[in-house]
Amino acid sequence: MAKIIDGKEIAGQIKAEVKAEVKDLLAHGIMVTLAVIQVGEDPASSVYVRNKKKTCEELGIRSRSYSLPQAASEEELLSLVGELNEDPEVDGILVQLPLPEQINEKAVLEAISPEKDVDGFHPCNVGALSCGEECFVPGTAAGIIELLVRSGIPIDGRECVVVGRSNIVGKPVAQLLLRENGTVTVAHSHTKNLREVTRRADILVAAVGRRRMIDASYIKPGAVVIDVGIHRDEKNKLCGDVDFESAASVASAITPVPGGVGPMTIAMLMRNCVESRRRRL
Ligand code: GUN
């Protein structure tokens, strides 16, 4: 049976480190501030936004909330982002995605100052990541690397297969694994013989967006499996892109859902907020 990689525990360690840094900054009269913008009331987004604000509070980071109506115009949102870019108190700006269809997501993400882009979605940060320069890295991708490193799982020289090529997870995690000297393959919906590809992996990252798709037949015995998915099953129970029971019977280590990658995303976002202030000091 595979070892369970406890994301809640590891996220707790990171949050404790961030909390200590926030306290240290506060002792110098510096308050770290994250601005969170939500447009509309998508229920999933509301849960994520609430959790981000709650975690800020827990760590002593000030959160400022901006809630725009579903019908808000792109100009309204761009104008708010512009104000926050100029506001010296604000360290991080987060626009919760997805945005309503009348708003061009690309234009909004590009309007956020790269120095305050704690989500790491601005093309400047994306480019810097691929050049191996200092930048903000998207929380989920950075969190996956932390899970591996803090669990003592080596990446250097190993076969890493990422299934999924999204801008938020697949592409950045592939870049990070490469930076750690992994041999990286990115598979996706057009990949032929997917099982043959995934069965090469020493480290398999599943970010497919399909409920329980990755079972034991996709996994080399002894591989490490990281599950990025989050879905509700037919019994309304949370599950991932990986069929946990099946995968755990062949993997050497695996992240559960919930309690694996999920808690890491917010912990890494909080770390980016403190990092933003440290860089600006
Ligand atoms: N929507 C889903 N994931 C994310 C994320 O990491 N950041 C933002 N801003 N929106 C999201």
Side-chain angles (χ1 to χ4, degrees):
M1 184 71 183
K3 170 185 180 285
I4 309 273
I5 300 173
D6 187 343
K8 228 176 138 180
E9 155 74 23
I10 297 173
Q13 293 168 12
I14 292 168
K15 286 196 284 184
E17 291 161 17
V18 172
K19 191 172 179 175
E21 280 209 55
V22 169
K23 200 172 158 200
D24 180 49
L25 286 167
L26 258 181
H28 293 85
I30 296 160
M31 187 122 198
V32 179
T33 303
L34 172 66
V36 181
I37 306 174
Q38 184 179 358
V39 186
E41 280 159 20
D42 172 66
S45 288
S46 298
V47 173
Y48 290 132
V49 163
R50 203 177 321 126
N51 283 336
K52 287 170 191 177
K53 291 194 277 200
K54 206 177 94 196
T55 310
C56 280
E57 204 173 307
E58 206 183 300
L59 304 191
I61 294 175
R62 175 169 52 191
S63 70
R64 283 214 224 144
S65 303
Y66 299 87
S67 198
L68 299 186
Q70 179 72 21
S73 68
E74 187 174 312
E75 291 68 38
E76 257 176 279
L77 179 54
L78 289 175
S79 149
L80 173 58
V81 168
E83 278 171 38
L84 296 169
N85 281 341
E86 297 302 320
D87 188 333
E89 276 190 2
V90 172
D91 300 296
I93 302 171
L94 183 148
V95 178
Q96 187 63 32
L97 304 177
L99 290 168
E101 60 185 20
Q102 75 275 13
I103 298 178
N104 178 350
E105 180 180 300
K106 185 169 175 287
V108 173
L109 296 181
E110 289 181 9
I112 297 172
S113 161
E115 288 77 33
K116 296 187 177 186
D117 172 37
V118 284
D119 257 333
F121 296 160
H122 191 287
C124 282
N125 283 312
V126 176
L129 176 61
S130 78
C131 296
E133 289 165 12
E134 185 182 79
C135 61
F136 287 118
V137 179
T140 305
I144 290 169
I145 303 298
E146 286 290 330
L147 282 178
L148 294 169
V149 169
R150 291 183 190 232
S151 304
I153 295 164
I155 302 169
D156 198 313
R158 301 183 87 201
E159 289 281 347
C160 306
V161 176
V162 179
V163 191
R165 54 173 158 180
S166 70
N167 292 338
I168 292 184
V169 184
K171 286 178 195 160
V173 81
Q175 287 290 352
L176 289 175
L177 290 164
L178 189 57
R179 196 163 87 177
E180 299 295 327
N181 301 318
T183 300
V184 182
T185 303
V186 181
H188 46 77
S189 56
H190 291 226
T191 298
K192 301 220 171 20
N193 305 320
L194 181 61
R195 275 189 188 80
E196 275 173 35
V197 177
T198 57
R199 284 180 71 93
R200 291 206 300 262
D202 299 312
I203 297 170
L204 179 61
V205 179
V208 221
R210 277 181 61 189
R211 188 169 87 180
R212 292 195 179 122
M213 179 184 137
I214 305 293
D215 62 16
S217 69
Y218 289 82
I219 300 165
K220 175 169 78 175
V224 174
V225 178
I226 305 291
D227 188 353
V228 181
I230 179 118
H231 313 275
R232 293 263 172 199
D233 71 7
E234 55 291 331
K235 293 179 191 143
N236 206 34
K237 213 178 123 212
L238 287 173
C239 68
D241 290 349
V242 175
D243 180 337
F244 184 86
E245 299 303 329
S246 167
S249 68
V250 294
S252 63
I254 186 167
T255 60
V257 176
V261 172
M264 297 299 291
T265 303
I266 295 188
M268 300 312 286
L269 170 70
M270 298 295 126
R271 195 159 96 174
N272 279 349
C273 293
V274 174
E275 181 60 29
S276 171
R277 174 52 71 102
R278 287 224 179 267
R279 281 187 206 158
R280 292 200 301 131
L281 279 174

